[in-house]
Amino acid sequence: MKNIYAIGVGLIGGSLAIDIKKNNPDVIIHGISRKDSTLNKALELKLIDKKATLDDIENADLVIVSIPVDATVKLLPTILDKISDTGLVVDAGSTKEDICKVVENHPKRRNFLAMHPIAGTEHSGPTAAIEGLFRGKTNIVCEVEKTTFKLQEKALKLFTDIGMRIRYMNPVDHDKHIAYVSHLSHISAFMLGKTVIDKEQNERDIFDMAGSGFASTVRLAKSSPEMWTPIFKQNKTNVIETLDEYINNLSHFKELMKDDNFEAIFDEMKNTNHIKDILNGII
């Protein structure tokens, strides 16, 4: 894969470009973005070697699409229209069902690999790109059987070489599970941040008391609304289900507090400590 085109050169696209280039110095990374200023910054940071446009995709061995998921749904059929018979398109979207559905009957569906590299930070844009972001992280691949074997083989080697574990899942299950382990945590962070900001209007000293626990819990509230609003929209049904369960747990905790049932609160927290065993070796 000599010519790689990155549509979106922010945190995910830029970080993938860094790691792929490190392992494959002869690869030429072409950047595509709506904003010329973004490409200029990506060039300055050496995330990409050249600027490109969508019309150049016919020359691509690999196209990496890492833009908001609503934009991916709109643009993906056009990208597949332009890709050569030997080229491959992959996406990095946090939702998979709508993305897979929009190209399910495309004549070049075999040239597309749906994936979700589960890695990131709360930052965005080219300056957020970092080396080693994907080392030890999981890359969820959906509908792998619909991608030409030789192309999927090349792509999966590219991503395992930068340190990713590969796991296979269908798009429906992916979107349901990711609502719990990713989308809900972002909503929680946003709403915790909102709660504190609303309170801070009357109590100016509140942030002076904020420690590392608050900072780590609310970190995700710094994430891009431009990226996360489309994710919540595409995964609306699953997100609402997770919110219902989360709100029920919060309400239950509140009732235990009102009843002075701190023995039950202790038990709830003790049982939840099991999460550390589940996450051990994953995070």
Side-chain angles (χ1 to χ4, degrees):
M1 291 187 172
K2 177 75 173 177
N3 288 294
I4 296 180
Y5 286 71
I7 302 179
V9 286
L11 170 65
I12 300 300
S15 298
L16 282 171
I18 292 172
D19 286 350
I20 290 171
K21 186 77 169 182
K22 182 180 179 181
N23 285 348
N24 307 272
D26 294 334
V27 159
I28 301 172
I29 307 287
H30 307 256
I32 299 176
S33 175
R34 291 182 297 110
K35 298 180 180 178
D36 199 54
S37 59
T38 299
L39 294 180
N40 289 335
K41 178 57 71 172
L43 279 169
E44 177 189 330
L45 297 171
K46 301 188 185 306
L47 304 180
I48 62 174
D49 300 304
K50 298 180 179 180
K51 296 181 184 180
T53 68
L54 287 176
D55 290 333
D56 299 320
I57 285 175
E58 62 183 12
N59 303 310
D61 298 307
L62 174 67
V63 178
I64 300 171
V65 183
S66 51
I67 54 180
V69 290
D70 57 340
T72 298
V73 168
K74 292 178 183 178
L75 196 59
L76 190 55
T78 300
I79 296 171
L80 281 179
D81 287 342
K82 296 178 181 293
I83 197 73
S84 71
D85 289 338
T86 58
L88 176 66
V89 180
V90 303
D91 86 289
S94 184
T95 57
K96 294 270 72 84
E97 187 174 4
D98 285 1
I99 289 170
C100 289
K101 190 174 294 183
V102 77
V103 293
E104 63 182 351
N105 296 315
H106 195 284
K108 292 183 179 177
R109 174 62 184 83
R110 65 189 180 279
N111 295 80
F112 171 62
L113 184 68
M115 68 179 207
H116 178 198
I118 302 179
T121 71
E122 68 273 25
H123 305 296
S124 58
T127 57
I130 53 176
E131 181 181 332
L133 177 66
F134 303 97
R135 191 175 300 119
K137 301 300 192 301
T138 300
N139 192 4
I140 305 294
V141 175
C142 295
E143 299 185 334
V144 67
E145 71 282 355
K146 295 185 179 182
T147 306
T148 299
F149 179 75
K150 287 185 178 180
L151 291 177
Q152 61 170 268
E153 191 176 36
K154 288 181 180 180
L156 295 178
K157 183 180 187 306
L158 199 68
F159 295 118
T160 54
D161 282 350
I162 65 174
M164 299 205 79
R165 302 184 297 260
I166 306 298
R167 180 168 179 184
Y168 302 97
M169 192 174 293
N170 70 62
V172 173
D173 286 345
H174 168 276
D175 287 4
K176 179 176 182 178
H177 298 325
I178 205 70
Y180 283 91
V181 297
S182 175
H183 302 171
L184 179 59
S185 59
H186 279 79
I187 294 171
S188 299
F190 278 117
M191 292 302 97
L192 174 58
K194 179 184 185 304
T195 301
V196 175
I197 288 172
D198 290 346
K199 188 66 174 177
E200 186 266 349
Q201 293 175 4
N202 297 319
E203 297 184 21
R204 301 296 304 180
D205 293 333
I206 194 166
F207 284 111
D208 291 337
M209 301 172 64
S212 59
F214 174 78
S216 62
T217 305
V218 82
R219 174 180 63 85
L220 296 177
K222 294 183 281 184
S223 300
S224 166
E226 289 79 13
M227 181 179 76
W228 279 98
T229 303
I231 289 171
F232 297 147
K233 183 177 181 180
Q234 282 194 15
N235 208 19
K236 173 183 172 180
T237 300
N238 289 315
V239 168
I240 289 174
E241 179 181 320
T242 65
L243 281 171
D244 283 341
E245 295 182 36
Y246 187 45
I247 290 167
N248 285 340
N249 279 323
L250 288 174
S251 297
H252 175 63
F253 193 93
K254 179 182 176 181
E255 290 304 313
L256 292 178
M257 290 281 289
K258 289 168 67 175
D259 293 340
D260 286 328
N261 193 348
F262 291 99
E263 182 178 347
I265 287 175
F266 176 89
D267 290 340
E268 291 274 2
M269 294 189 293
K270 187 66 175 178
N271 291 335
T272 306
N273 279 164
H274 176 55
I275 197 75
K276 65 185 177 184
D277 301 318
I278 299 172
L279 294 178
N280 186 34
I282 298 175
I283 297 178

